[in-house]
């Protein structure tokens, strides 16, 4: 077999340093051949080995009374009661989505779904967390359109609802967008499967689509920053087929109903390489594979290409000896490829055979235990961040235009243009569609329970203070679960950062992890799965630190919880929590003072824990008619979102935070706050005070009216139809090229879908 000669240039092109190559020679006791070099390069890539993050990830709390499976498997698993479990995880597909947005986003969805059903769970819901640059940046509207179409195209076709998530915009993502996808599935505790290759002599079976040349070195590409030649990396983006994945899903769940399967693993990043090595590594065994038997769709493929391909919709199964024909027949019944390609061995090597010759022999354990682990240098940036914004304080007066500009901005307007392209109700489990509650809710049929899920992070906060930003991501996720009626249980994460080779980036990373860890300990939400995505930068310009948190909570009764919208007129409005002059990193500051710097809001974890307890108690006593947490945009924006069904409010804020000016009062983003409506305000106030929370009745709901005053002076005066028009129409108008001023005046036409 003719292979390229290994030179220093070839080694460098595989993302390996001279020291790493020397370590490979020591492990093998010889120089690697080209196929072996490729295998080491992907297994030791940042994307697969976590070589820069592993020392920090160990600090996460990963155990708890409901944790069934923590980090290390394809997905985390929690106990949701009565023998049922939920498997969930979040992953990134950032680099592929920037290069080819439709396929990049689509295959991100396909990959995260395989992570769920390889655990034996049927996927029932997806979320997405999307970060784009300024809408007027080059290619940005095309990227928005392509990513949304990719997510909808894959999810809709396979029949898994995308029921929530978040989308935000910041100039730091102009050259490197982020596409994070979350999936959750359910099964019973006795039907959990793991990716293990145990049982010497057991057959190794390849199932799913044929292997092609798409996606080769995708993991390596995801472990490097972008440059001017990034467009040339288009061939490393995989191509997905949701219809094949639907067949694969059903075939896998069917064979799992038998007792023929010993272990099963998705061929995700690094494809056949990662699946074979990881399965053998977990079991302490070896694997021998005959690559001539691997189904391929292109002629002339080499062992190097077969092992490194990231073609989609493929799985590797270890079956019980003697049951291989049953497995093959099951997958062929679903019109899928299936082939016995090898067997489990006892020599702790992965050995590859090609045309009767051994073309690779790599010890399993050293590829992980001796993989590089770097304690990268860290240094905090030399900067002084003031505690508060240096700004002119505004006296009480009409700030309606300020509110209009905020709710028409890309970050705060309705994203219905996005989620209306998703099938949000397929499979009939969805209780809360997007923008109806702070968390997405799905029922678990047959149990009477429901699951709440949300994804949260404020990258601007994380850039100003990574520790506080990490805490805030978990705290806001917990609030979103609690105000929606659930008890927060556990998290997954998707940690998106720039190059780990830069000390300031590693400092951001470590501080965010410290904040997330402290919040998870305080709120009792351990980390059960996750993903790290480094090198999100272009030509030295990194994205904001974006440690996305996906949280899952449990509703003991699927009728628990209330929606965001004011339900009827005549209800009392109660504000829970304290408002301080905290505008650093706020949406108001970014709009009006984009170059200013100030500390983000501080997160009091004791108060956040009390907020969760308050909502669980209030819902238990059936006291609430609506509930909404306060986050981006502050109090005025939260009240606006509550008024989107036409029931507005008359609010009087005298007596609440009287010492701060109207801007901080209306648009400050202090944490641990929420708006609830009730017909029993005294009971709500009593429960809040019992939990040590400030609480105050601030007004009543009214039809069509939207009036916020302080001491009788109107601060915001408009109507719910006017607010609804601006909020609902803004995103499509902005995509069509309109300015925010045009949106507010009602000029322009909504776009339905952009052309690529």
């Amino acid at each position: 077999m003719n292979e390229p000669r290994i030179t220093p240039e070839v080694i460098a092109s595989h993302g390996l340093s001279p020291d790493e190559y020397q370590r490979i020679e020591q492990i093998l006791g010889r120089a690697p051949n080209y196929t072996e070099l490729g295998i080491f390069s992907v297994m030791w890539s940042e994307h697969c080995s976590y070589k820069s993050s592993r020392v920090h990830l160990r600090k996460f709390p990963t155990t708890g009374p409901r944790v069934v499976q923590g980090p290390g498997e394809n997905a985390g698993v929690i106990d949701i009661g009565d023998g049922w479990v939920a498997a969930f995880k979040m992953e990134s597909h950032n680099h592929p989505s920037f290069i080819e947005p439709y396929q990049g986003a689509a295959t991100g969805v396909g990959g995260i779904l395989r992570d769920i059903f390889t655990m034996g769970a049927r996927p029932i819901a997806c979320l997405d967390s999307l970060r784009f640059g300024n809408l007027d940046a080059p290619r940005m509207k095309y990227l928005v359109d392509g990513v949304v179409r990719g997510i909808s195209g894959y999810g809709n076709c396979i029949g898994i609802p995308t029921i929530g998530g978040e989308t935000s915009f910041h100039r730091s993502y102009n050259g490197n967008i982020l596409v994070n996808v979350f999936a959750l599935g359910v099964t019973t505790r006795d039907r959990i499967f793991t990716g293990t290759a145990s049982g010497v002599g057991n057959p190794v079976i390849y199932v799913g689509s044929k292997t092609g040349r798409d996606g080769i070195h995708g993991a390596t590409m995801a472990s490097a920053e972008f440059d001017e030649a990034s467009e040339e990396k288009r061939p490393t983006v995989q191509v997905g087929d949701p219809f094949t994945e639907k067949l694969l899903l059903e075939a896998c769940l069917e064979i799992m109903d038998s007792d023929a399967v010993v272990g099963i693993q998705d061929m995700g990043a690094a494809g056949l390489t990662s699946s074979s090595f990881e399965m053998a590594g977990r079991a302490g065994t070896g694997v021998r594979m005959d690559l001539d038997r691997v189904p391929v769709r292109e002629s002339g493929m080499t062992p190097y290409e077969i092992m490194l391909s990231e073609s989609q919709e493929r799985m590797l199964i270890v079956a019980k000896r003697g049951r291989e024909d049953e497995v093959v027949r099951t997958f062929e019944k679903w019109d899928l490829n299936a082939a016995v390609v090898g067997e489990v061995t006892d020599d702790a090597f992965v050995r590859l055979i090609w045309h009767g010759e051994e073309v690779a022999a790599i010890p399993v354990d050293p590829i992980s235990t001796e993989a590089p682990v770097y304690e990268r240098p860290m240094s905090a940036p030399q900067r002084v961040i003031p505690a508060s914004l240096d700004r002119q304080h505004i006296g009480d007066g009409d700030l309606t235009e300020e509110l209009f500009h905020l709710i028409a901005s890309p970050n705060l307007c309705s994203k219905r243009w996005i989620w209306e392209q998703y099938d949000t109700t397929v499979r009939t489990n969805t209780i809360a569609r997007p923008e109806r509650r702070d968390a997405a809710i799905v029922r678990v049929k047959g149990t009477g329970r429901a699951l709440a899920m949300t994804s949260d992070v404020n990258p601007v906060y994380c850039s100003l203070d990574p520790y506080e930003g990490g805490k805030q991501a978990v705290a806001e996720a917990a609030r979103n679960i609690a105000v929606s009626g659930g008890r927060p249980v556990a998290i997954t994460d998707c940690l998106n950062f720039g190059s780990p080779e830069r000390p300031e980036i590693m400092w951001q990373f470590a501080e965010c992890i410290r904040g997330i860890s402290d919040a998870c300990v305080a709120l009792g939400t351990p980390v059960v799965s996750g993903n790290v995505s480094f090198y999100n930068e272009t030509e030295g310009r990194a994205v904001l630190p974006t440690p996305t948190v996906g949280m899952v909570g449990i509703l003991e009764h699927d009728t628990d919880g209330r929606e965001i919208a004011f339900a009827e007129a005549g209800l009392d409005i109660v504000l829970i929590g304290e408002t301080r002059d905290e505008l650093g990193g706020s949406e108001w500051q970014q709009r009006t003072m984009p170059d200013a710097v100030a500390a983000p809001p501080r997160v009091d974890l004791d108060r956040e824990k009390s907020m969760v307890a308050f909502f669980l108690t209030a819902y238990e006593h059936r006291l609430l008619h609506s509930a909404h947490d306060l986050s981006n945009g502050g109090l005025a924006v939260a009240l606006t979102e509550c008024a989107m069904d036409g029931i507005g409010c008359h609010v009087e804020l005298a007596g609440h935070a009287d010492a701060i000016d109207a801007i901080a009062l209306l648009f400050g983003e202090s944490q641990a706050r929420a708006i609830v409506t009730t017909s029993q305000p005294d009971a709500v106030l009593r429960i809040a005070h019992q939990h040590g929370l400030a609480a105050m009745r601030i007004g009543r709901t009214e039809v069509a009216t939207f009036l916020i005053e302080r001491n009788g002076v109107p601060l915001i005066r408009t109507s719910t139809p006017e607010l609804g028009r601006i909020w609902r129409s803004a995103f499509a108008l902005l995509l069509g090229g309109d300015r925010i001023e045009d949106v507010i005046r009602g000029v322009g036409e909504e776009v339905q879908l952009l052309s690529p």
Side-chain angles (χ1 to χ4, degrees):
M1 183 175 64
N2 294 322
E3 290 187 327
R5 189 169 64 89
I6 295 177
T7 64
E9 292 74 23
V10 169
I11 294 167
S13 71
H14 281 72
L16 293 164
S17 69
D19 286 344
E20 289 170 346
Y21 181 74
Q22 186 177 29
R23 187 176 301 183
I24 292 169
E25 289 186 317
Q26 291 170 350
I27 289 171
L28 295 178
R30 56 178 170 80
N33 61 37
Y34 188 67
T35 298
E36 292 168 333
L37 183 75
I39 288 171
F40 272 100
S41 77
V42 293
M43 291 301 292
W44 284 9
S45 68
E46 192 71 60
H47 190 76
C48 291
S49 74
Y50 294 88
K51 57 189 176 185
S52 298
S53 59
R54 199 179 305 177
V55 295
H56 300 286
L57 298 177
R58 292 170 184 154
K59 300 170 185 175
F60 278 147
T62 58
T63 59
R66 289 190 179 269
V67 177
V68 177
Q69 174 65 60
E73 269 293 343
N74 293 288
V77 182
I78 59 170
D79 188 331
I80 59 175
D82 295 332
W84 286 86
V85 297
F88 61 97
K89 190 182 182 184
M90 180 174 277
E91 279 274 7
S92 62
H93 233 222
N94 304 334
H95 287 58
S97 298
F98 186 78
I99 295 169
E100 212 305 297
Y102 183 92
Q103 291 296 346
T107 52
V109 174
I112 196 65
L113 290 173
R114 290 194 300 279
D115 281 339
I116 301 306
F117 68 77
T118 193
M119 300 294 295
R122 178 175 290 277
I124 61 172
C126 291
L127 307 177
D128 56 33
S129 180
L130 311 176
R131 311 287 166 184
F132 296 106
N134 292 337
L135 274 175
D136 58 359
R139 297 180 72 239
M140 199 54 59
K141 293 184 177 69
Y142 161 68
L143 291 171
V144 172
D145 178 56
V147 166
V148 172
R149 286 191 299 110
I151 291 171
S152 64
Y154 208 100
N156 294 356
C157 289
I158 197 173
I160 309 297
T162 301
I163 59 174
E166 54 179 341
T167 304
S168 67
F169 298 80
H170 189 276
R171 62 183 178 275
S172 83
Y173 305 106
N174 283 355
N176 199 132
I177 65 173
L178 302 183
V179 176
N180 295 175
V181 287
F182 166 105
L184 177 143
V186 294
T187 187
T188 53
R189 188 158 187 161
D190 59 350
R191 290 192 72 257
I192 300 171
F193 287 79
T194 57
T196 180
S198 57
V200 173
N202 280 335
V204 175
I205 307 174
Y206 173 115
V207 300
S209 293
K210 292 182 178 181
T211 294
R213 290 189 171 94
D214 54 320
I216 292 174
H217 270 301
T220 307
M221 183 262 295
S223 304
E225 66 269 20
F226 280 146
D227 54 31
E228 292 180 350
S230 293
E231 192 67 18
E232 299 172 6
K233 298 177 181 177
R234 189 178 296 270
T236 63
V237 178
Q238 311 93 321
V239 177
D241 181 352
F243 300 105
T244 298
E245 179 127 332
K246 172 63 174 173
L247 299 177
L248 185 63
L249 162 63
E250 299 300 338
C252 286
L253 294 180
E254 179 178 327
I255 198 63
M256 288 170 172
D257 280 336
S258 73
D259 63 346
V261 176
V262 173
I264 182 169
Q265 175 81 18
D266 162 40
M267 291 191 215
L272 192 52
T273 290
S274 62
S275 55
S276 56
F277 275 92
E278 288 173 6
M279 293 182 79
R282 293 185 185 115
T285 60
V287 169
R288 181 184 185 276
M289 288 192 295
D290 188 340
L291 299 185
D292 296 286
R293 301 179 185 176
V294 173
V296 296
R297 66 167 183 261
E298 299 182 47
S299 61
M301 290 192 70
T302 65
Y304 179 98
E305 293 171 326
I306 291 170
M307 290 301 293
L308 271 60
S309 168
E310 294 185 9
S311 295
Q312 297 292 286
E313 294 86 41
R314 302 179 301 157
M315 308 284 273
L316 198 63
I317 292 176
V318 172
K320 291 181 179 178
R321 185 162 33 181
R323 305 288 295 276
E324 52 266 42
D325 289 345
E326 178 183 346
V327 174
V328 170
R329 283 197 305 271
T330 298
F331 283 87
E332 287 179 343
K333 182 187 76 172
W334 288 95
D335 201 23
L336 294 165
N337 298 286
V340 178
V341 296
E343 65 178 6
V344 178
T345 63
D346 62 359
D347 67 354
F349 270 72
V350 169
R351 298 183 184 275
L352 307 179
I353 310 302
W354 179 249
H355 299 337
E357 295 183 7
E358 185 173 271
V359 294
I362 300 175
V364 172
D365 190 50
I367 207 166
S368 56
T369 61
E370 296 184 36
V373 176
Y374 296 126
E375 293 196 40
R376 301 280 192 185
M378 296 187 297
S379 65
Q382 299 301 308
R383 59 179 182 175
V384 176
I385 297 182
S388 59
L389 278 179
D390 182 10
R391 64 184 180 89
Q392 180 180 359
H393 285 237
I394 305 298
D396 289 357
D398 187 3
L399 293 168
T400 306
E401 282 292 314
E402 291 284 338
L403 177 61
F404 285 170
H405 276 82
L406 283 172
I407 66 170
S409 68
N411 283 349
L412 296 179
C413 66
S414 168
K415 304 304 187 301
R416 70 174 184 137
W417 182 90
I418 293 177
W419 61 259
E420 282 186 344
Q421 297 182 51
Y422 303 154
D423 190 334
T424 60
T425 58
V426 63
R427 302 195 65 82
T428 69
N429 295 310
T430 306
I431 293 174
R433 298 179 70 200
E435 300 183 345
R436 300 307 302 177
R437 297 197 199 183
D438 285 302
I441 313 290
V442 290
R443 65 175 55 85
V444 183
K445 290 177 180 173
T447 69
R449 291 185 176 87
L451 296 173
M453 58 203 79
T454 182
S455 65
D456 293 284
V457 68
N458 189 313
V460 175
Y461 292 178
C462 291
S463 69
L464 294 167
D465 188 328
Y467 175 69
E468 288 295 329
K471 285 165 57 181
Q472 192 273 342
V474 177
E476 183 177 349
R479 285 199 307 275
N480 285 336
I481 297 287
V483 300
S484 301
R487 180 184 297 277
V489 173
I491 77 163
T492 182
D493 60 58
C494 196
L495 309 175
N496 309 271
F497 290 80
S499 170
E501 298 166 41
R502 295 167 55 190
E504 65 273 20
I505 298 295
M506 282 311 300
W507 175 79
Q508 290 177 343
F509 183 78
E511 284 293 283
C512 281
I513 282 184
R514 187 167 69 92
I516 291 171
S517 298
D518 285 355
C520 286
V521 170
L523 296 171
T525 55
V527 182
V528 299
S529 60
N531 174 63
V532 176
S533 176
F534 278 133
Y535 295 101
N536 291 290
E537 58 180 66
T538 299
E539 297 179 1
R541 295 187 298 274
V543 301
L544 296 179
T546 312
T548 310
V549 167
M551 183 176 285
V552 174
I554 299 173
L555 285 71
E556 289 300 326
H557 308 283
D558 59 18
T559 55
D560 289 345
R562 292 292 181 268
E563 294 193 342
I564 291 170
F566 294 143
E568 58 187 272
L571 296 173
D572 287 287
I573 303 171
V574 176
L575 172 60
I576 311 295
E578 300 176 7
T579 303
R580 295 173 291 277
D581 188 346
E582 293 183 304
L583 286 161
S586 68
E587 294 292 335
W588 181 86
Q589 177 254 303
Q590 292 177 66
R591 188 186 80 79
T592 60
M593 305 173 65
D595 297 323
V597 174
R602 297 299 170 188
V603 178
D604 185 323
L605 292 174
D606 289 333
R607 283 197 182 126
E608 299 289 358
K609 187 174 181 179
S610 295
M611 284 286 284
V612 172
F614 160 78
F615 276 103
L616 292 172
T617 304
Y619 279 127
E620 181 182 357
H621 290 86
R622 299 289 190 266
L623 294 174
L624 306 183
H625 290 257
S626 69
H628 187 24
D629 92 309
L630 273 64
S631 56
N632 295 4
L635 175 59
V637 170
L639 287 168
T640 298
E641 292 166 344
C642 292
M644 284 307 161
D645 279 2
I647 303 296
C649 59
H650 182 180
V651 166
E652 170 57 69
L653 292 174
H656 178 79
D658 288 338
I660 65 177
D661 77 335
I663 292 292
L665 179 67
L666 294 176
F667 308 121
E669 297 180 5
S670 298
Q671 301 294 291
R673 294 187 299 163
I675 288 287
V676 302
T677 57
T678 180
S679 57
Q680 302 178 63
D682 292 340
V684 170
L685 293 170
R686 182 175 63 254
I687 291 171
H689 295 149
Q690 287 172 350
H691 286 92
L693 296 169
M696 175 181 168
R697 181 191 175 280
I698 60 171
R700 289 177 70 80
T701 56
E702 295 185 5
V703 175
T705 298
F706 195 88
L707 176 61
I708 303 175
E709 299 178 301
R710 179 157 66 176
N711 294 314
V713 177
L715 305 178
I716 307 287
R717 186 199 294 271
T718 184
S719 66
T720 57
E722 183 70 353
L723 289 173
R725 178 190 64 78
I726 296 170
W727 185 71
R728 289 193 175 94
S729 68
F731 194 70
L733 292 170
L734 295 172
L735 279 176
D738 287 355
R739 301 174 304 151
I740 287 179
E741 289 75 12
D742 298 329
V743 175
I744 293 171
R745 293 200 309 271
V747 178
E749 297 182 3
E750 294 188 14
V751 296
Q752 296 304 309
L753 194 66
L754 295 173
S755 298

